[in-house]
Amino acid sequence: MTNPSFNSDDPRLTAFVLGELDDADRAAVEQLLESSPEARAFVDDLQDTIGALRDELSAESAPALTNDQRAALQQAAAIAETAAGQTQQGSASTTHSRRGLYLGTTATIAALGIVVAILPQFAAQRTTNSPAIALRISDEEASSTSAGSAVAMSETSDRHDATLSAIRDIAQLENPRESPAASDGADPATVTAMKRKLAPADEAPADASKTLLQVVPQVAAGSKDFRAIQEHPFSDTKSDRSGAARSDAAVTLGSSSRLTTAPSPAGAAGIGGAVSREERLSGNVAKASPGRPAQIAETRSNPAPDSHPTSAPAVSVASGLARNPSAKPIAEGAPVAMPVQMEAARGLQSTTPQLAGQQRGSRIDNLAVTTTGESLRESERNQAIRSRRIVPPADPYFLEQGETRGGFALLQKNAGNETYDPIVENEFVVPDAKDADKRLSTISVDVDTAAYANVRRFLMQDRLPPPNAVRIEELVNYFKYDYPQPKGDDPFSVTTEVMLCPWQPGHRLARIGLHAKTIDKSQRPPANLVFLLDVSGSMRPANKLPLVQQAMRLLVEEMTEDDQIAIVTYASNAGLRLVSTPGSKKPEILQAIDSLTAGGSTNGEGGIKLAYDTAIRHYVEEGANRVILCTDGDFNVGISNDNELVELIQEKAASGVFLSVFGFGMGNLKDGKLEKLADKGNGQYGYIDSLQEARRAFNDDLAGTLYTVAKDVKLQAEFNPATVGAYRLIGYENRKLAAADFTDDTKDAGEIGAGHTVTALYEIIPRQVMVERLKSNELRYGGTFELPVDGPKVDGFSDELFYVRLRYKQPDEETSQPVEADYPVSDVAITGKPVAAPSTDFQFAAAVASFGMNLRNSQYRGNWDLRHVYDVAVQTRGDDPDGRRAEFIDLVQRTMRIVGQQVGIDLQKLPISERPAELTPSEARIKAAVDGKYRRLLKKIEVRDDLQQYGAFNDFGFWDKSTEYKGHSDLLPGYWVYVYPHWYIWAEAVEARVSSPETKPGEASGTSDSAGKPAAESPGKQ
Amino acid sequence: MGTNGHASQSEWVSNTLQRFEQPLVRYAQRITGDLETAREVVQDTFLRLCRQQQAAIDGHLSQWLFTVCRNRALDVQQKERRMSTTLNLDQQTGSATSLATAAPDQAVETRDSAARVLEFLDQLPTNQQEVIRLKFQNDLSYREIAEVTGLTVSNVGFLLHVGIKQLKKLMKEP
């Protein structure tokens, strides 16, 4: 054995101390310790650290359960013991259950778990009698026997939630062997519904209604208990329900596909299926005004060929419909995705202060309501109608921007007072041999990552981020990728890689990765930092100024005597709180930090000027001169005009002082403005939502943040028209440059700090694939692409997909240097070479990009949804030293949960289905005619997305509600049949075989009752 | 069924309760960030234990308990708005100071106290914190930690090493 060398990164060293090594490894480490004093010292230190950890951690307080909880557990154990000997005994079970129910509230939770788990018969019996599992809590018990109040809750609380989860888990997951009947009897959808009902534990009353209204597509078809609920028509109960707060749950039924539940702890609103979606869409559900409930009932079935709550599209709007006038009009999104629900949506439009003034419990005719609504919300309604599109029914997925797609489209709530610059996604571009602009894709390289932290903040609050908050390149760049260090004096290394596009068959995905040279913290140049802190009143919350202070303390600890720090605050007046002080005077700096308090309004302008002046006065040649702005972005005194502010920054940036912008807090965040400031000020923008993130941004990345290795870095990819049919840049929407800007040194671009990595992704349609598609008439938007079959010949480069060029300036120079490096990228598949397994980093980056596209509801997200993202992220997590990837995986899971709750489906349990094979055009047409049921084809449109909603085949029926659908226009009324990936619109149907949805709403509901599969009752189906 | 040479079910549960109650509450509290929720999670964990056959769990009892407890806590955490791992400082509950993230003021006060290592621990990525706690607070083996957290054994070893190394470094700094 050769002498092993000491490597402090070897995890075996820790494992050695902890006695976790096998003999061979232990021997190896012992040998190392023998030979290396350095290793011995290291391991000694490890031992000390571990000793301290053990001491401190074991001394940490460990609270116990409450006495009640402990007593309940003892009871439960006793019951379990007894019951274990008496399983299969229905009567005995009941006895036990009763016993369980009298244990008092806390004990009841305990008992309920037991009851459902070990007494399946009882559970099943209960669920049959009263639709959902009878979940009773102490005093509710006596009154909860009627079907309408199957789930009786006088309040929502953590405890109920826990109880319910216990039941759900028991029924669904935990011990299928021990409780088969329980899991059979408890329809997951029902249980989910119950769970949801109980969920909004700590919502404020005004918010509560948001989560109360839920749509639950029937997951398991044909569940008896589910039907039982449905058979209890809402109209039976609504007459005696004045909308006042009641503890029982209003169980509203649309059609067989949907259950709407509305518990009303604060007089919340119970609204028919689609409407509740509107509510969630707008995110502005009824500000509860318990004093003035109103009820609207829409009694007429909408004669539409769909499965909407046609049997009982009752709209019960309980209290609090007084809508905030500034609130987003609910109807805006409504008709877009759900034209069938126009009536209902109009009805809801009337939920204006005037309407709320109606007598409580009064019923209002739909038409009248509409009129009221019109007068009040004319423009919004018009807008709604303009954007109205045909969308087949039962679409539980709703989008904010009037887009509809199948699959698990995400719905975003209002972002409150936060503003985001709109992002218009890049489109596919066809590279043209004759037009250089079309061959060239030029971007300003940027390492901002703020969007990721901001997206995470939304998700952690169980909200989906608004699409414009999702800047995909910032998501992708949040993660570290293993790119090689640059060689020699090069400031960067460039890595390229191509793989088969995971979300779009036939396409390729390419990545270009830059890695800036890393410099050791000890070698970093001296820093001259000026903190510019927003201390206005809006910064007072704990996640703003206090977090800034905490983050600064971390930074101060890293400072050396060569560094200087100053603090400028701005509120009503800007002020210098700490004159530039060397890092050796840490106590003074810390004291200045501690003394900061928030108050007053914001004068960003004065502060910015003062901060730059301070930085310039203490300018360090060869050093990192930087203003670090920490704010929630709410400039409201002085220059508030974005452009003036940007100009000011731009002017100041010429001084050689860089600007870093850190966004803090929530609710007031002006994301677009901050990003712009950082860009113009030659700096980065980061969003900080936690101490961990602060540490990452202020400390771990300090060297990089402070030491810029290159500025105005521009990247240009030239696509080869001979091999590339079309390409699309993913993300970077507001960092694109014109091709001519590449060599224009006056055009500002991004900065790269030491150790930073930047990744850009392109989706590419190989030319051959494009040509094939043209031949098979498969182009998405009907022949707007003109691609000559005889492509351009580019001699000598027939293998290359694209070529990468870079330009940048040295940090202290004003002219840029091109990097004439060779980065041609050839397409592995097209050149006939085997497709190499893509690197895990690349796959992970692709998963992150797809996550972003899913959050944005991008039309380019292809056939990947969150489940694919999750699977791939899990597989490609790697070592993940900083935990970012694990956190990402958690975020994806969380997103699935949020979306799952919105659509009532547990996405994580839903298997990923592969796309069906496409039929040949003639076969497809025969199938679309449904055995001769339909004649005379009017139109065939391609809508791939509808696979997830309608399955490979769906005989949808007659549709005449719109001339537009998912980007297709000029559609005529007709009979719609979906044969993946096309809709066929037929002019005629053979009389005898047509079912009229207008007269048989119940039947119609069967045609598309749940996402992803054609209905069993659909006439003429296969 | 409760008595195949084992203690009776209720004895078994109460012995287990005795031994694991506090460590589990402490563990759950790290995840949920809230004592009351943590207690309910732990209660729920033990409720499930009641339904288990002793024989099926013997030998990996602590692993089983921590796994169930963790899953429940993560589950509940989704609904709770109080999250220690993300430091949602907007939600300052009464128990917030017991979280991974002490309030800013306290962070200063405890700077020089013996608890510095815990303060540093709070600065590590959550996944490192978790394996460190499972290892040194609850004395689970690498393999057990891997089972509880769903990580691989080598990843557990890696995270522990990286975390301890970082702590070592932080403690050495002046």
Side-chain angles (χ1 to χ4, degrees):
Chain A
M1 263 190 272
T2 52
N3 238 5
S5 64
F6 168 58
N7 172 10
S8 70
D9 287 337
D10 186 349
R12 288 185 307 175
L13 296 171
T14 295
F16 174 77
V17 175
L18 297 174
E20 287 270 355
L21 289 181
D22 61 21
D23 291 348
D25 280 334
R26 192 168 58 241
V29 174
E30 278 166 357
Q31 194 196 354
L32 168 71
L33 294 179
E34 198 89 351
S35 63
S36 162
E38 204 191 345
R40 280 199 298 277
F42 185 84
V43 168
D44 281 349
D45 281 352
L46 280 185
Q47 259 160 345
D48 289 348
T49 308
I50 287 169
L53 265 177
R54 277 197 204 278
D55 290 350
E56 293 298 331
L57 283 175
S58 57
E60 229 185 6
S61 70
L65 295 176
T66 63
N67 288 336
D68 281 354
Q69 284 173 320
R70 220 176 288 117
L73 277 172
Q74 299 289 4
Q75 291 250 26
I79 293 169
E81 195 170 305
T82 321
Q86 299 183 21
T87 44
Q88 316 304 321
Q89 298 293 323
S91 58
S93 304
T94 308
T95 311
H96 287 302
S97 75
R98 291 277 177 240
R99 204 168 129 196
L101 287 168
Y102 290 114
L103 291 176
T105 307
T106 312
T108 305
I109 302 156
L112 274 168
I114 306 299
V115 169
V116 180
I118 63 177
L119 309 171
Q121 284 79 7
F122 173 69
Q125 191 190 340
R126 294 299 308 162
T127 55
T128 314
N129 289 349
S130 92
I133 294 175
L135 200 173
R136 292 128 174 232
I137 301 289
S138 55
D139 55 337
E140 297 286 334
E141 188 176 2
S143 64
S144 63
T145 42
S146 83
S149 52
V151 179
M153 282 287 149
S154 61
E155 55 172 325
T156 53
S157 74
D158 300 355
R159 191 162 286 129
H160 296 163
D161 202 11
T163 310
L164 191 69
S165 299
I167 289 182
R168 178 203 57 200
D169 291 342
I170 293 152
Q172 283 183 280
L173 315 165
E174 241 239 321
N175 284 317
R177 275 174 294 114
E178 291 174 34
S179 56
S183 44
D184 290 345
D187 181 308
T190 310
V191 178
T192 312
M194 293 167 60
K195 183 189 80 181
R196 216 145 341 80
K197 194 171 313 198
L198 305 176
D202 47 8
E203 295 263 4
D207 283 332
S209 46
K210 264 193 271 187
T211 35
L212 299 180
L213 307 169
Q214 299 291 347
V215 180
V216 184
Q218 187 165 357
V219 177
S223 155
K224 276 181 193 163
D225 38 313
F226 206 88
R227 292 239 170 91
I229 297 179
Q230 296 167 350
E231 284 157 10
H232 177 77
F234 181 67
S235 52
D236 285 357
T237 51
K238 68 187 171 191
S239 54
D240 61 31
R241 190 168 300 177
S242 64
R246 290 209 19 175
S247 64
D248 56 343
V251 180
T252 313
L253 242 295
S255 64
S256 63
S257 68
R258 182 168 294 124
L259 161 67
T260 304
T261 55
S264 46
I271 299 172
V275 180
S276 68
R277 263 173 270 132
E278 315 291 347
E279 291 289 358
R280 281 174 293 128
L281 180 71
S282 73
N284 261 307
V285 182
K287 304 283 177 257
S289 58
R292 296 194 292 175
Q295 189 171 46
I296 306 162
E298 182 189 356
T299 47
R300 187 170 60 87
S301 283
N302 196 318
D306 69 26
S307 65
H308 270 310
T310 39
S311 58
V315 179
S316 155
V317 180
S319 76
L321 286 172
R323 219 160 264 283
N324 181 343
S326 68
K328 203 168 165 149
I330 39 177
E332 187 178 322
V336 176
M338 195 69 56
V340 180
Q341 295 303 322
M342 271 304 285
E343 303 307 307
R346 270 186 234 156
L348 257 193
Q349 267 188 327
S350 64
T351 57
T352 52
Q354 284 189 11
L355 184 68
Q358 301 275 357
Q359 288 296 311
R360 65 193 272 168
S362 67
R363 292 194 189 187
I364 297 154
D365 170 59
N366 180 36
L367 200 61
V369 170
T370 306
T371 315
T372 318
E374 258 173 4
S375 65
L376 289 168
R377 294 244 175 231
E378 183 82 40
S379 62
E380 286 150 8
R381 202 177 84 94
N382 287 344
Q383 191 186 346
I385 290 169
R386 266 201 306 281
S387 57
R388 163 182 182 173
R389 272 182 224 157
I390 177 171
V391 170
D395 179 359
Y397 319 110
F398 230 67
L399 305 179
E400 187 172 50
Q401 296 176 315
E403 244 184 85
T404 56
R405 21 194 55 252
F408 304 104
L410 314 180
L411 39 139
Q412 283 84 9
K413 290 172 183 165
N414 238 339
N417 191 22
E418 303 180 12
T419 54
Y420 297 93
D421 285 354
I423 296 174
V424 179
E425 277 191 293
N426 297 323
E427 297 178 337
F428 275 103
V429 178
V430 179
D432 187 335
K434 296 188 188 94
D435 183 351
D437 279 352
K438 296 218 167 132
R439 289 203 308 272
L440 295 169
S441 168
T442 311
I443 54 176
S444 157
V445 169
D446 212 299
V447 293
D448 287 355
T449 58
Y452 184 83
N454 196 28
V455 163
R456 179 177 59 202
R457 165 172 69 88
F458 275 99
L459 294 173
M460 284 317 217
Q461 296 169 343
D462 286 341
R463 296 195 294 160
L464 294 171
N468 288 334
V470 183
R471 289 190 292 271
I472 294 174
E473 75 279 9
E474 297 192 15
L475 268 51
V476 171
N477 283 330
Y478 182 80
F479 300 93
K480 298 255 184 281
Y481 303 104
D482 192 15
Y483 298 130
Q485 285 283 341
K487 295 183 192 115
D489 288 339
D490 290 352
F492 317 107
S493 71
V494 180
T495 309
T496 52
E497 194 174 354
V498 177
M499 69 170 168
L500 298 174
C501 181
W503 53 78
Q504 200 58 269
H507 292 194
R508 305 284 180 271
L509 192 65
R511 82 164 168 169
I512 303 171
L514 304 187
H515 185 296
K517 70 180 171 203
T518 310
I519 55 167
D520 197 339
K521 271 187 194 175
S522 62
Q523 289 176 336
R524 76 173 164 80
N528 161 31
L529 304 181
V530 178
F531 274 88
L532 175 53
L533 305 181
D534 180 350
V535 290
S536 58
S538 64
M539 287 291 284
R540 199 171 288 127
N543 62 342
K544 295 187 179 176
L545 187 61
L547 187 57
V548 173
Q549 291 169 295
Q550 224 171 343
M552 286 181 68
R553 288 186 198 108
L554 291 175
L555 183 78
V556 170
E557 286 180 11
E558 298 274 332
M559 291 182 66
T560 69
E561 57 188 17
D562 295 332
D563 300 324
Q564 303 181 76
I565 184 172
I567 300 174
V568 173
T569 58
Y570 66 91
S572 305
N573 297 304
L576 189 60
R577 285 296 189 94
L578 176 70
V579 296
S580 198
T581 307
S584 52
K585 296 185 179 170
K586 289 203 169 86
E588 283 175 37
I589 301 172
L590 289 172
Q591 204 199 328
I593 294 171
D594 292 344
S595 68
L596 297 168
T597 52
S601 57
T602 311
N603 179 359
E605 180 197 1
I608 285 171
K609 284 181 175 154
L610 182 57
Y612 270 105
D613 290 348
T614 308
I616 292 167
R617 204 172 310 130
H618 298 274
Y619 195 86
V620 180
E621 293 295 333
E622 306 274 301
N625 298 284
R626 189 172 288 267
V627 170
I628 299 173
L629 168 60
C630 301
T631 180
D632 58 4
D634 204 14
F635 300 97
N636 54 13
V637 178
I639 300 181
S640 275
N641 179 315
D642 279 13
N643 291 333
E644 286 177 43
L645 205 61
V646 165
E647 276 170 30
L648 175 69
I649 294 277
Q650 225 164 355
E651 182 193 313
K652 295 291 181 186
S655 63
V657 174
F658 289 72
L659 175 72
S660 286
V661 180
F662 290 105
F664 282 82
M666 56 189 74
N668 224 355
L669 186 70
K670 304 289 189 275
D671 187 66
K673 182 195 282 184
L674 296 182
E675 190 201 0
K676 219 180 284 173
L677 287 183
D679 278 357
K680 296 302 171 192
N682 285 338
Q684 286 105 34
Y685 168 43
Y687 178 79
I688 293 185
D689 59 349
S690 69
L691 190 55
Q692 258 181 53
E693 189 61 38
R695 191 175 178 81
R696 283 169 189 165
F698 278 31
N699 284 30
D700 297 350
D701 297 342
L702 182 75
T705 310
L706 295 185
Y707 185 71
T708 305
V709 298
K711 66 179 182 182
D712 290 346
V713 184
K714 298 165 187 172
L715 181 148
Q716 190 170 61
E718 179 179 357
F719 290 87
N720 183 354
T723 56
V724 173
Y727 65 90
R728 187 179 95 80
L729 173 63
I730 299 174
Y732 288 95
E733 277 82 3
N734 48 18
R735 304 186 199 284
K736 276 193 301 185
L737 299 173
D741 292 347
F742 185 63
T743 51
D744 184 345
D745 283 344
T746 64
K747 295 290 181 196
D748 187 55
E751 281 63 50
I752 293 194
H756 283 157
T757 60
V758 182
T759 301
L761 299 175
Y762 284 93
E763 185 174 337
I764 295 170
I765 308 176
R767 193 185 152 75
Q768 286 189 1
V769 174
M770 289 269 286
V771 172
E772 298 281 312
R773 280 202 195 151
L774 271 184
K775 278 183 190 159
S776 59
N777 194 22
E778 265 201 58
L779 269 185
R780 200 178 176 86
Y781 302 117
T784 52
F785 272 153
E786 292 288 335
L787 192 71
V789 174
D790 290 325
K793 298 275 190 291
V794 186
D795 288 341
F797 300 106
S798 56
D799 280 357
E800 287 182 15
L801 273 185
F802 61 91
Y803 187 87
V804 179
R805 293 183 185 89
L806 275 176
R807 257 188 120 89
Y808 63 90
K809 295 173 190 164
Q810 296 289 357
D812 49 356
E813 288 178 2
E814 285 310 313
T815 50
S816 67
Q817 309 148 347
V819 181
E820 282 303 334
D822 258 352
Y823 304 116
V825 180
S826 57
D827 183 342
V828 276
I830 281 203
T831 54
K833 292 178 207 156
V835 180
S839 65
T840 53
D841 265 3
F842 190 9
Q843 293 182 59
F844 186 83
V848 176
S850 174
F851 181 59
M853 287 192 281
N854 273 283
L855 286 176
R856 291 188 49 77
N857 292 315
S858 165
Q859 60 170 318
Y860 300 108
R861 66 190 162 92
N863 58 18
W864 263 29
D865 60 41
L866 294 168
R867 294 167 298 167
H868 304 81
V869 172
Y870 176 79
D871 284 354
V872 171
V874 166
Q875 286 157 21
T876 58
R877 177 170 61 182
D879 269 347
D880 191 26
D882 56 9
R884 290 189 191 195
R885 294 189 183 192
E887 180 193 83
F888 174 76
I889 291 165
D890 283 348
L891 270 193
V892 178
Q893 259 183 315
R894 177 176 283 269
T895 312
M896 285 198 266
R897 218 170 279 125
I898 298 169
V899 175
Q901 280 170 8
Q902 286 174 346
V903 300
I905 294 172
D906 188 346
L907 293 194
Q908 283 178 271
K909 297 213 176 64
L910 208 62
I912 294 173
S913 61
E914 293 303 322
R915 323 211 100 188
E918 292 176 32
L919 301 174
T920 64
S922 53
E923 281 171 356
R925 186 176 162 136
I926 291 167
K927 185 164 186 179
V930 194
D931 303 330
K933 178 176 162 189
Y934 299 118
R935 284 195 301 233
R936 212 150 68 76
L937 185 64
L938 294 171
K939 187 129 182 165
K940 172 180 154 187
I941 56 173
E942 181 182 322
V943 189
R944 290 181 174 264
D945 289 338
D946 280 351
L947 175 66
Q948 273 167 305
Q949 191 175 345
Y950 295 97
F953 171 82
N954 189 304
D955 181 2
F956 179 75
F958 188 74
W959 188 256
D960 64 351
K961 291 291 184 277
S962 171
T963 58
E964 282 178 31
Y965 179 61
K966 293 197 178 180
H968 299 277
S969 52
D970 300 330
L971 305 176
L972 297 167
Y975 299 87
W976 286 54
V977 179
Y978 189 67
V979 177
Y980 174 77
H982 293 98
W983 280 102
Y984 295 78
I985 307 168
W986 302 91
E988 291 173 20
V990 177
E991 279 300 307
R993 308 196 56 171
V994 185
S995 72
S996 164
E998 278 141 62
T999 53
K1000 299 178 201 168
E1003 266 184 40
S1005 69
T1007 55
S1008 53
D1009 67 348
S1010 69
K1013 64 179 163 59
E1017 303 89 355
S1018 170
K1021 187 209 167 240
Q1022 274 116 320
Chain B
M1 315 232 193
T3 54
N4 300 340
H6 295 278
S8 76
Q9 185 85 359
S10 58
E11 273 172 37
W12 178 59
V13 169
S14 91
N15 289 342
T16 313
L17 190 61
Q18 194 79 19
R19 195 176 138 206
F20 285 102
E21 172 186 345
Q22 286 175 292
L24 284 172
V25 173
R26 184 167 57 185
Y27 178 61
Q29 196 185 353
R30 300 301 304 182
I31 299 172
T32 62
D34 172 69
L35 179 58
E36 284 316 303
T37 317
R39 282 179 169 148
E40 279 164 17
V41 164
V42 172
Q43 186 185 26
D44 196 31
T45 305
F46 280 106
L47 279 172
R48 288 173 197 218
L49 184 73
C50 294
R51 302 192 300 271
Q52 298 298 317
Q53 308 261 338
Q54 290 177 56
I57 297 191
D58 269 1
H60 58 275
L61 178 61
S62 57
Q63 176 191 320
W64 187 93
L65 286 169
F66 279 97
T67 307
V68 172
C69 178
R70 182 180 197 267
N71 292 341
R72 278 300 294 138
L74 289 174
D75 213 27
V76 169
Q77 188 206 17
Q78 310 305 332
K79 296 153 208 149
E80 300 294 326
R81 300 291 151 88
R82 317 172 195 109
M83 264 156 289
S84 62
T85 53
T86 55
L87 208 154
N88 194 343
L89 288 169
D90 238 13
Q91 311 272 338
Q92 283 196 306
T93 59
S95 57
T97 51
S98 64
L99 307 189
T101 52
D105 299 339
Q106 274 152 342
V108 182
E109 284 162 19
T110 56
R111 192 163 295 272
D112 301 317
S113 77
R116 267 199 106 174
V117 67
L118 295 189
E119 185 197 326
F120 293 137
L121 181 61
D122 290 342
Q123 293 175 13
L124 296 184
T126 328
N127 55 351
Q128 293 179 14
Q129 288 187 37
E130 183 174 21
V131 294
I132 284 174
R133 282 179 185 278
L134 285 171
K135 180 70 215 168
F136 301 115
Q137 202 158 47
N138 302 304
D139 221 19
L140 300 190
S141 70
Y142 278 26
R143 178 159 299 286
E144 286 169 329
I145 295 172
E147 296 287 338
V148 170
T149 55
L151 300 167
T152 63
V153 173
S154 64
N155 198 216
V156 168
F158 172 81
L159 291 174
L160 270 172
H161 182 71
V162 171
I164 292 170
K165 203 176 130 189
Q166 175 70 10
L167 288 176
K168 174 172 98 67
K169 181 168 157 265
L170 290 170
M171 286 171 71
K172 288 218 148 193
E173 280 176 4

